[in-house]
Amino acid sequence: MSTIDTAPPDSTALQIPLARNASIDGMDAYRALVTEANQDYEAFWARLAREHLAWHRPFTKVLNDTDAPFYHWFEDGELNASYNCLDRNLINGLAEKTAIVFESDDGKLTHVTYQALYHRVCRLANALRARGVKKGDRVVIYMPMSVEGVVAMLACARIGAPHSVVFGGFSAKSLHERIVDIGACAVITADEQVRAGKTLPLKTIVDEALAMGGAAGIKTVAIYRRTGGQIPWINERDKWLHELEAAQPDTCEPEWVGAEHPLFVLYTSGSTGTPKGVQHSTGGYLLWAAATMKWTFDIKPEDVFWCTADIGWITGHTYICYGPTAVGATQVIFEGVPTYPNAGRFWEMIQRHKVSIFYTAPTAIRSLIKSADANHAVHPDSFDLSSLRLLGTVGEPINPSAWTWYARHVGGGRCPVLDTFWQTETGGHMISPLPGVTPLVPGSCTLPMPGIDAAIVDETGEEVPNGNGGVLVIRKPWPSMIRTIWGNPERFRQGYFPGELGGKLYLAGDGAIRDRDTGYFTITGRIDDVLNVSGHRLGTMEIESALAAHPLVAEAAVVGRPDETAGEAIVAFVVLKAERPSGADAKRVADELRAWVGKEIGPIAKPKDIRFGDAMPKTRSGKVVRRLLRSVAKGEVISQDTSTVENPAVISQFADAA
C-alpha cells in the first residue's frame, strides 16, 4: 500500500489549540508515561490500578501470562464495580452531585444525583437477589436508552451477576441466540421504547424470543413501565420493575469479586455467522474505563459529558455506564434520535445542558451535515455551543471533510477533535489523540495510549516500515482486553491470536498505515468479513444466513460498499429458487427480503441494495469470488482476472441490476 494524505487542503487553517492543564499535559508527559510502561510494564499497570480503583482486597500479582493468550490481571485482588462507581463517590463527597441528566424523546428532563442513583441501584440489586439471582448468574438486559438501563447494569455488577446487554433494535431471533448462548436466568426489559415519537415493542419481542425454546432457565422477566402500553403477561415470571424495587431496602452490601470475575458479556458480530460473546473482567476493564475518561476526555469536576451511544454497544458500556460514574462525572443520557423533532436536536441539547465534552459517531455527523446545509435553522452555527471544550468520534474512522466540518462548526475551531480507535474487544480507547498532547491530523487517530504497544505488520507478523500499510496488532496484553469468547475459548484463540502471526499478537481485524514522519496511525478498514454500518459491526455470514433462510432464496452473498452517510452500506447478491425477477417484481421481492432480514436480525442489518442473478460467481472449486462482488457493489469496471470464475457472465447480471 502507498502512503496516503489524510488532511484536506483547508484543515491547517483551523489551528486547533491543545487543551491546557490536561490530565496528560504535553508531549513530554505523554512520552514519560510511554517510557514508564516500556521500562517496567507490570509496575506501570499496577500503579494505575491502585490510583484509579478502590480495592476491597489489594492485589499482589499484576499479570499472569502462564496460559497465554488467556491473560489474567490483578487476579488475587477483590473489588466491586458498582462500589467503585457509586459508593466511592458518596464517600468522596459527591452525594448531591448530579450523576445523570436524562432527556427523553419528547424532551422531558430527569436529574439523578449520585445518592439517588446509589439507592436505585441498591433496590434493584436487592430485588434481583430476592428473585434468586446470585453471584455468577447471567442477566440479559434488553432496554431502551434510560436511567433504568444504567441502573440495571450497575445492579447486576453489585451482586456479581454478569450482564449481557442486547441492543433494543435487535430482533427476537437475535435476542434468543444471546439468551440461550449465555444461559441467562433473568431478563430485564421494558414494555416499549420510544424513538422519534413512535413506540416500539420490547416486552413482546422478549416473549417471542423465549417462546423459541432453549431458555428454560429464565425465571424472571422484569419490566420497566416506559409507556404503559398493552403487553402480554405471564404470571409468576413477569414482574413490574417498580413493584420489585418498592419492597426492597435502599442499601445493599456489594458482592466482592475477584478482579477476573466476568463483569459482562457483550455479543458482537463475527465472520462465521454466529454472534460471539466478548467476555470482560471486572478489574482490568474498569481500570481502563476510568483511566481513559481522565486521559482522553480530560474529565474535570465541572464538566458535563455526553456520549450519544446506546448502552447496547460497548461505547455505551464504557462511556455511559461505567466510565463516567467511575470518575464521578455529570453526564447527559438521551433517549431519542438526532433528527427528531428536527435535525438541530443535538445542538439544542448541547446548548440547553451546557455540554462541555461531546462524543458521537461519524455517521451522525455526516447525516447532520446534510441537514444543516439544507436548513440553516438546524445548523450548529445557529446555536450557542460555547460550553464545548472537547469533541470526540467513535465507531469508525471519520473522513477528513466531516472532521473539518465538525471541528469548525460544532467546535468553533477551538475544540480538539478526538478520533478514537478501539473495539468491543479492547474495552476502551487504544489509539487516540490526547487533548493536551497531540497535534491533530483530520482522519488520523494519531498515537497509541500509554501502555498500548500497537504496531502494523505484514501477513507473517513482521513489522512494516512507516508509510507502508498492513495489519494492526497489539504486541503486549493490557488489562481491559477481551478475556475469552463466552463458551468458546478456541474461537477466541484462533480469531484474535492466530497462529500465522505467531500466536502472540492480538489481531485487531483492521488494516492501518503509519505516517512516515509523525508515526500517526490511520485506520484503513476491516480485513475480515465484518461490515461497519453506522458504527455497528455486522457479520456478513450472519446476514447471508438470514437471507438464505427465506423460502424464496437459494443462495446469498453479502459485501459492503462505501456509503456517504453510514460509512459502509450492505449490498446483497441473491439467487432465487425461481427465475430471476426484473422490474416491479424485483423491487417487490427485494422489499420482502429486507423486511425478512430486519425481522431475523434487526433493522440495522437490512441490505441497502439487493441484486438478483441466475447464479453466484464461483471458482471451479465452488468458492464465491467475493472480490468481484465487492467491485460490482462499488460500481467499478471489472478489470480483474476472471479466468478462474466458472460462470463469469453472472457478474454482468449483478452489475446491470444496479
Side-chain angles (χ1 to χ4, degrees):
M1 298 174 67
S2 59
T3 58
I4 55 175
D5 181 8
T6 58
D10 63 346
S11 64
T12 56
L14 290 175
Q15 298 293 318
I16 297 174
L18 297 179
R20 295 182 178 181
N21 301 314
S23 293
I24 303 178
D25 199 11
M27 185 59 76
D28 288 345
Y30 168 81
R31 291 194 182 105
L33 287 169
V34 172
T35 299
E36 179 189 355
N38 289 339
Q39 289 178 343
D40 193 333
Y41 200 61
E42 291 192 27
F44 170 80
W45 287 112
R47 177 179 69 79
L48 293 182
R50 293 184 180 109
E51 288 181 2
H52 290 290
L53 300 180
W55 294 87
H56 178 67
R57 184 174 74 187
F59 59 88
T60 62
K61 185 181 294 185
V62 181
L63 171 63
N64 181 349
D65 59 1
T66 56
D67 189 25
F70 300 95
Y71 299 103
H72 291 174
W73 287 86
F74 322 117
E75 61 183 349
D76 62 342
E78 287 187 351
L79 75 168
N80 180 276
S82 177
Y83 178 92
N84 271 271
C85 295
L86 298 174
D87 307 53
R88 192 168 55 147
N89 289 318
L90 306 187
I91 293 169
N92 291 337
L94 302 181
E96 297 309 312
K97 181 177 182 178
T98 298
I100 296 170
V101 179
F102 175 71
E103 181 161 328
S104 66
D105 187 73
D106 63 4
K108 292 179 181 176
L109 300 181
T110 304
H111 291 74
V112 182
T113 65
Y114 272 100
Q115 185 76 64
L117 184 61
Y118 164 79
H119 288 315
R120 292 180 68 170
V121 168
C122 287
R123 285 194 292 270
L124 180 53
N126 287 324
L128 291 173
R129 277 179 172 164
R131 294 291 295 179
V133 181
K134 60 187 183 301
K135 176 181 176 181
D137 287 344
R138 280 81 63 198
V139 177
V140 164
I141 299 171
Y142 187 61
M143 293 279 276
M145 279 302 295
S146 56
V147 176
E148 286 73 15
V150 173
V151 168
M153 296 167 75
L154 290 171
C156 289
R158 195 161 192 88
I159 63 174
H163 60 69
S164 186
V165 183
V166 179
F167 174 55
F170 275 142
S171 68
K173 183 174 182 292
S174 296
L175 177 62
H176 171 259
E177 289 174 341
R178 290 154 172 78
I179 290 172
V180 172
D181 188 72
I182 202 171
C185 70
V187 175
I188 303 175
T189 188
D191 50 2
E192 296 174 314
Q193 63 177 328
V194 183
R195 302 274 287 179
K198 300 176 182 177
T199 58
L200 304 166
L202 289 183
K203 170 58 164 57
T204 302
I205 292 174
V206 171
D207 289 338
E208 186 181 341
L210 297 181
M212 293 177 181
I218 298 293
K219 305 302 181 185
T220 300
V221 175
I223 305 127
Y224 160 48
R225 183 180 278 166
R226 168 62 184 91
T227 67
Q230 292 295 313
I231 58 172
W233 196 267
I234 296 179
N235 290 326
E236 301 303 320
R237 189 198 71 182
D238 295 349
K239 302 291 179 182
W240 287 115
L241 198 61
H242 63 275
E243 291 180 355
L244 286 175
E245 294 174 357
Q248 298 300 327
D250 59 9
T251 61
C252 175
E253 182 66 20
E255 184 75 41
W256 303 109
V257 299
E260 282 299 313
H261 182 77
L263 178 60
F264 63 85
V265 176
L266 182 58
Y267 284 83
T268 184
S269 293
S271 58
T272 62
T274 55
K276 52 190 177 183
V278 173
Q279 179 180 319
H280 276 289
S281 71
T282 300
Y285 169 82
L286 193 62
L287 162 61
W288 205 225
T292 51
M293 281 295 300
K294 293 179 180 179
W295 287 356
T296 309
F297 294 124
D298 184 35
I299 197 77
K300 309 289 188 189
E302 64 274 13
D303 276 319
V304 176
F305 177 81
W306 183 18
C307 170
T308 67
D310 190 284
I311 58 170
W313 308 106
I314 188 64
T315 304
H317 281 56
T318 307
Y319 299 112
I320 292 179
C321 181
Y322 290 108
T325 55
V327 298
T330 294
Q331 67 169 317
V332 173
I333 295 180
F334 178 42
E335 180 180 41
V337 299
T339 54
Y340 179 82
N342 59 62
R345 184 70 180 267
F346 273 6
W347 324 132
E348 180 188 358
M349 287 181 62
I350 292 170
Q351 175 180 275
R352 176 163 52 250
H353 301 301
K354 307 295 184 189
V355 172
S356 56
I357 304 171
F358 182 61
Y359 194 37
T360 196
T363 300
I365 296 167
R366 287 192 294 266
S367 67
L368 294 174
I369 289 173
K370 289 184 178 181
S371 301
D373 288 346
N375 179 6
H376 190 72
V378 297
H379 198 288
D381 289 351
S382 299
F383 297 84
D384 179 5
L385 306 183
S386 60
S387 60
L388 288 170
R389 68 181 189 90
L390 295 178
L391 302 175
T393 69
V394 61
E396 59 185 311
I398 182 170
N399 55 297
S401 60
W403 188 104
T404 303
W405 184 92
Y406 188 38
R408 175 172 287 124
H409 295 290
V410 181
R414 70 185 185 281
C415 300
V417 178
L418 313 172
D419 178 3
T420 62
F421 168 79
W422 60 296
Q423 303 170 313
T424 304
E425 295 87 346
T426 70
H429 303 148
M430 301 297 282
I431 307 174
S432 174
L434 298 176
V437 174
T438 323
L440 302 173
V441 172
S444 172
C445 52
T446 70
L447 297 174
M449 304 292 284
I452 302 304
D453 187 9
I456 299 174
V457 302
D458 60 20
E459 293 82 356
T460 67
E462 291 296 318
E463 188 168 7
V464 301
N466 285 3
N468 291 0
V471 178
L472 180 64
V473 298
I474 311 297
R475 292 183 290 202
K476 292 180 182 178
W478 68 98
S480 71
M481 67 188 297
I482 176 178
R483 290 307 191 259
T484 188
I485 292 174
W486 182 266
N488 200 337
E490 194 54 35
R491 186 180 180 188
F492 163 74
R493 184 195 299 272
Q494 293 178 3
Y496 296 103
F497 294 88
E500 56 265 33
L501 296 182
K504 294 185 178 179
L505 299 177
Y506 170 84
L507 178 65
D510 287 281
I513 192 169
R514 295 191 78 170
D515 183 80
R516 280 197 178 95
D517 299 321
T518 63
Y520 279 10
F521 285 75
T522 296
I523 306 301
T524 57
R526 298 293 299 173
I527 62 171
D528 56 16
D529 290 329
V530 175
L531 307 180
N532 194 328
V533 181
S534 299
H536 306 321
R537 289 173 62 183
L538 298 168
T540 57
M541 187 63 69
E542 191 174 6
I543 303 169
E544 288 173 7
S545 298
L547 285 165
H550 191 282
L552 294 178
V553 175
E555 197 171 6
V558 169
V559 301
R561 64 167 168 79
D563 183 84
E564 190 178 70
T565 300
E568 197 167 17
I570 301 168
V571 181
F573 298 89
V574 174
V575 178
L576 299 179
K577 295 175 182 176
E579 291 184 0
R580 173 165 53 100
S582 60
D585 284 342
K587 183 181 185 304
R588 176 183 56 78
V589 176
D591 289 344
E592 182 177 340
L593 294 180
R594 282 192 192 91
W596 173 269
V597 171
K599 184 175 184 297
E600 289 288 293
I601 302 174
I604 59 172
K606 290 181 179 180
K608 187 168 186 177
D609 188 4
I610 298 180
R611 306 184 188 187
F612 299 100
D614 291 331
M616 286 292 171
K618 296 181 180 179
T619 64
R620 289 172 179 81
S621 62
K623 183 177 181 180
V624 176
V625 188
R626 293 176 183 275
R627 60 181 171 84
L628 296 177
L629 294 179
R630 291 188 184 98
S631 293
V632 170
K634 295 175 184 177
E636 299 172 347
V637 176
I638 303 298
S639 58
Q640 306 168 48
D641 179 19
T642 59
S643 61
T644 61
V645 181
E646 189 172 29
N647 45 358
V650 300
I651 300 171
S652 297
Q653 289 181 355
F654 284 126
D656 293 342

